[in-house]
Amino acid sequence: MLAEVFIINFGTTLGKKSERLLIKEQGKVVQEIPFRDISALTIATRGVSLSSDVIRECVEHGIQINFLSSSGKPYAKVTSPQLSGTVLTRREQILAYTDERGAALAVAFIEGKLKNQANVLKYFAKYRRAADPALYRELEARLKRLEDIRGELGSLTGTTVDELRGTIFCVEGRAAQEYWDGVGLLLGKRVEFAGRERRGAEDPVNAALNYGYGILYSQVWGAVMLAGLEPFAGFLHTDRPGKPSLVLDLTEEFRACIVDRTIVGMLLRGGSVKMEEGRLTDETRRELAQRVLERLEAEENYDGKKHKLKTIIQRQARRVASFLRGERRYKPFVGSW
């Protein structure tokens, strides 16, 4: 079974011996893994050394190398140049921005996000129905409002992304308020959580969420490239140099069911998120990475069969490509609850 190798210890050295990846810490080999058993290599700390032989072996085995900052933000990726060789898909992707295909994808990404947010609240609410009826009623009220807001997506008028983007984000923002209020109710007094913050968050919950999203971004980015899509040409998120807009677009579907559910579940079961000088500790980052990667290995129903979530991400990216080429309709992924 292919596994993602996650490097989090400062000063780790990565080398190659025959057909195996050698992981050394303080000059000693701590692990040897056949390259054929690796799905991705993620480096999430400073001070890591890797040889050109490792890079070449990864490229030849189709292993993408991801680099994450201490906050979980991806800042580099090494892949084979052959992944960018699909021309037809990218031509259609660029053209779709100005027609109804781009608008349809933008709406679908947010529809999937809102449905998965609702399902995360439903997942945790079902365990509170008997144990805490008052909390259950509060969650039910927010779910009702969230569903009502989501229903507005069906009445949007406009044929291009530029015509719809403002309204879509208005709907998404109002739904997000209900969703994160619900998450706050679930967490209660277990941990400080005043609401969702994105960049530079220093409270434990938001820092943990941002770190988990960084791991998810890397997974989605890899899937987008394998599908022959252009990561920087999105529909929902606006264009900006260095901003992987399509990666951010597709990530919206998976945030709640992969990262939010993992982090909230950990906290509700008594887990803790430790900070040091405004940053997650190495121990916490290691635990969060392990939990998110385990969630990516979890199976969900998809097209009538059970598939791992990381496989579903790849399939959804290919569905985006198929939709852009006019081969099939696009339907967002919605997880179970």
Side-chain angles (χ1 to χ4, degrees):
M1 180 171 58
L2 295 178
E4 179 165 352
V5 176
F6 209 89
I7 305 297
I8 203 167
N9 291 335
F10 180 90
T12 300
T13 300
L14 303 178
K16 172 184 175 292
K17 180 180 179 182
S18 185
E19 298 297 315
R20 299 188 301 278
L21 173 68
L22 260 60
I23 303 176
K24 292 184 179 180
E25 294 179 4
Q26 298 179 343
K28 297 181 180 179
V29 176
V30 295
Q31 199 171 6
E32 293 186 26
I33 310 170
F35 283 100
R36 66 174 182 275
D37 294 340
I38 301 173
S39 62
L41 173 60
T42 297
I43 298 170
T45 185
R46 297 180 300 111
V48 174
S49 300
L50 68 161
S51 68
S52 58
D53 287 345
V54 169
I55 296 173
R56 178 169 182 171
E57 202 71 28
C58 285
V59 167
E60 290 181 352
H61 280 82
I63 301 167
Q64 298 188 30
I65 307 176
N66 307 306
F67 294 85
L68 306 184
S69 69
S70 59
S71 65
K73 182 180 180 181
Y75 64 87
K77 178 183 284 286
V78 177
T79 64
S80 167
Q82 300 303 316
L83 293 179
S84 304
T86 310
V87 176
L88 176 60
T89 300
R90 294 189 174 211
R91 283 179 175 165
E92 291 299 326
Q93 181 181 350
I94 301 302
L95 292 172
Y97 185 87
T98 58
D99 62 36
E100 66 279 357
R101 290 173 296 174
L105 282 175
V107 172
F109 292 140
I110 290 301
E111 182 183 14
K113 177 179 185 175
L114 270 53
K115 284 184 176 179
N116 280 314
Q117 285 181 333
N119 283 355
V120 166
L121 290 184
K122 290 176 184 177
Y123 173 78
F124 290 112
K126 66 184 178 183
Y127 299 109
R128 303 314 183 268
R129 188 166 194 164
D132 193 340
L135 174 57
Y136 180 79
R137 288 192 294 272
E138 289 272 12
L139 293 171
E140 283 279 280
R142 279 162 178 76
L143 275 165
K144 174 65 167 60
R145 291 195 290 271
L146 200 160
E147 295 287 1
D148 289 343
I149 293 169
R150 182 178 62 80
E152 297 175 21
L153 291 173
S155 59
L156 297 181
T157 57
T159 56
T160 67
V161 175
D162 287 335
E163 292 172 348
L164 293 176
R165 183 180 289 110
T167 307
I168 292 173
F169 275 128
C170 179
V171 170
E172 188 267 347
R174 288 160 49 220
Q177 185 66 53
E178 300 293 342
Y179 172 67
W180 291 112
D181 281 353
V183 170
L185 287 170
L186 282 166
L187 295 175
K189 297 180 180 179
R190 289 178 177 83
V191 63
E192 176 189 352
F193 180 65
R196 178 74 186 114
E197 291 183 22
R198 290 168 174 80
R199 296 185 180 89
E202 294 186 359
D203 68 285
V205 178
N206 277 298
L209 289 167
N210 289 340
Y211 193 76
Y213 293 149
I215 297 171
L216 177 59
Y217 292 152
S218 294
Q219 294 283 334
V220 175
W221 198 321
V224 162
M225 295 190 69
L226 286 171
L229 293 159
E230 169 52 59
F232 294 90
F235 301 97
L236 180 64
H237 291 82
T238 53
D239 296 339
R240 196 173 69 213
K243 180 179 177 181
S245 301
L246 185 63
V247 176
L248 297 174
D249 284 358
L250 185 55
T251 298
E252 297 293 355
E253 282 183 29
F254 296 96
R255 287 175 182 266
C257 63
I258 293 177
V259 178
D260 300 357
R261 178 167 154 170
T262 299
I263 303 301
V264 173
M266 180 188 78
L267 294 171
L268 291 178
R269 287 189 291 271
S272 63
V273 177
K274 298 175 183 176
M275 306 282 288
E276 195 173 79
E277 298 180 355
R279 297 168 60 183
L280 296 169
T281 64
D282 289 349
E283 179 186 354
T284 294
R285 289 192 293 127
R286 190 176 294 108
E287 181 178 2
L288 291 174
Q290 179 182 344
R291 288 179 180 272
V292 173
L293 292 174
E294 285 176 354
R295 177 63 180 152
L296 285 162
E297 293 289 334
E299 293 186 338
E300 290 270 357
N301 286 318
Y302 185 84
D303 284 348
K305 296 181 180 179
K306 290 281 190 180
H307 292 281
K308 293 180 179 180
L309 279 165
K310 67 179 186 181
T311 301
I312 293 172
I313 291 173
Q314 294 167 1
R315 287 174 176 252
Q316 284 296 95
R318 290 199 291 267
R319 282 191 171 182
V320 171
S322 296
F323 173 76
L324 292 170
R325 294 193 300 266
E327 297 169 2
R328 65 187 302 174
R329 62 187 290 262
Y330 183 79
K331 185 171 71 172
F333 168 72
V334 179
S336 62
W337 61 275

